[in-house]
Amino acid sequence: MENFVVAIDGPAGSGKSTIAKLLSKEFDLTYLDTGAMYRMVALYFLDNNIDFNNIVQIKKVLPLIEIDILDGKFILNGKDVSLEIRTPRVTEKVSFAAKIKEVREKLVDLQRKISFGKNVVLDGRDIGTVVFPDADLKIFLIASPEERARRRVKDYADKGMQEDYNEVLESIKERDYIDSHRDESPLKKAEDAIELDSSSMEIGETLEVLGKYIKEKKGE
Ligand code: DC
């Protein structure tokens, strides 16, 4: 198996990262959470009072943003921001950073560099369409907005953060809209991706289905 690439795309909260993490362990793949990279850029903009609409300012600061991923920790300019990038403050703004062409170019480039020569599983919105159009396996993981909101509220609760279900549902719908209607690499299923609706599936079930596809692709 050489440079095996699994691309998992889908909307916010469809379970991509949970599934990608588990697959990475089972099949010894390097896991790359590309959403976390967009979150790091959004956090930098917020902390440095960068106007998300000011492209001149954004072009100036982009080279100053250094992103590293070490032992599963997300390091922004030398600081571990793994927890901060999951806070509602960042979640609310991240899709505004993700629609900027220059931001995407920088991060797609980095995603390809990090993945180079490795067996990887990446999750995001444009992995199968833009980052790795020749990926060995492309999965488009979906779930109803209501189910995704329920999962998000539970995720927050597990981390000790309390969020209102209706607000989360609205924010998910808004993010879906922005992510799938933007000009740059909108969220959409690659023609050759396998679509899987996880709304009524347990994680174990989804994992089993995807595991079968991977084994098939690897010729096992
Ligand atoms: O998966 P997530 O919720 O952590 O993603 C955060 C944001 O980044 C979301 O608005 C979609 C965007 N994103 C993207 O545009 N392309 C990717 N490959 C990954 C995430």
Side-chain angles (χ1 to χ4, degrees):
M1 186 170 85
E2 202 174 289
N3 202 14
F4 188 78
V5 177
V6 180
I8 305 184
D9 289 304
S14 60
K16 301 181 300 292
S17 62
T18 307
I19 294 295
K21 260 182 233 160
L22 292 168
L23 287 176
S24 78
K25 286 205 185 98
E26 188 174 341
F27 293 95
D28 198 18
L29 308 167
T30 298
Y31 167 50
L32 185 56
D33 175 352
T34 65
M37 298 166 83
Y38 289 93
R39 287 170 179 272
M40 288 163 96
V41 171
L43 176 64
Y44 182 93
F45 289 174
L46 286 167
D47 283 352
N48 292 277
N49 295 317
I50 309 295
D51 177 351
F52 284 67
N53 293 309
N54 186 341
I55 192 62
V56 175
Q57 197 186 18
I58 286 174
K59 275 191 192 167
K60 240 187 244 164
V61 300
L62 271 182
L64 307 177
I65 303 178
E66 210 175 293
I67 289 174
D68 289 299
I69 302 168
L70 299 173
D71 299 330
K73 292 200 166 59
F74 297 98
I75 315 290
L76 174 62
N77 290 345
K79 183 181 163 212
D80 182 357
V81 293
S82 307
L83 293 179
E84 235 178 313
I85 57 170
R86 308 289 170 195
T87 54
R89 176 171 88 106
V90 174
T91 303
E92 274 159 27
K93 287 299 244 183
V94 62
S95 51
F96 295 98
K99 66 181 191 177
I100 302 167
K101 181 169 150 257
E102 287 75 6
V103 169
R104 305 203 68 84
E105 282 169 356
K106 177 183 170 98
L107 296 188
V108 167
D109 191 45
L110 191 56
Q111 287 153 21
R112 291 187 181 136
K113 275 192 189 129
I114 293 173
S115 308
F116 186 76
K118 297 192 184 106
N119 299 322
V120 284
V121 53
L122 300 95
D123 78 341
R125 306 293 189 286
D126 61 339
I127 309 303
T129 50
V130 176
V131 186
F132 285 112
D134 295 327
D136 296 272
L137 178 66
K138 297 182 188 178
I139 303 295
F140 197 70
L141 196 61
I142 58 166
S144 69
E146 290 73 18
E147 175 59 22
R148 290 186 281 133
R150 265 193 294 277
R151 292 176 188 171
R152 263 294 133 103
V153 171
K154 188 179 173 298
D155 275 359
Y156 280 135
D158 289 347
K159 288 178 194 141
M161 291 183 272
Q162 204 144 26
E163 284 292 299
D164 177 70
Y165 169 82
N166 287 315
E167 277 175 25
V168 173
L169 180 60
E170 276 321 298
S171 143
I172 278 186
K173 285 183 178 167
E174 188 194 12
R175 220 139 57 90
D176 279 359
Y177 187 86
I178 300 174
D179 291 344
S180 45
H181 287 81
R182 66 183 178 219
D183 294 335
E184 298 297 325
S185 315
L187 166 68
K188 67 166 193 251
K189 179 181 166 292
E191 266 177 31
D192 51 350
I194 298 165
E195 183 170 305
L196 201 65
D197 186 340
S198 75
S199 302
S200 56
M201 285 168 92
E202 294 292 332
I203 288 171
E205 254 178 285
T206 312
L207 195 63
E208 203 181 312
V209 173
L210 297 189
K212 270 188 195 146
Y213 285 126
I214 292 184
K215 284 181 188 153
E216 235 173 69
K217 289 284 173 183
K218 283 166 68 185
E220 283 176 4

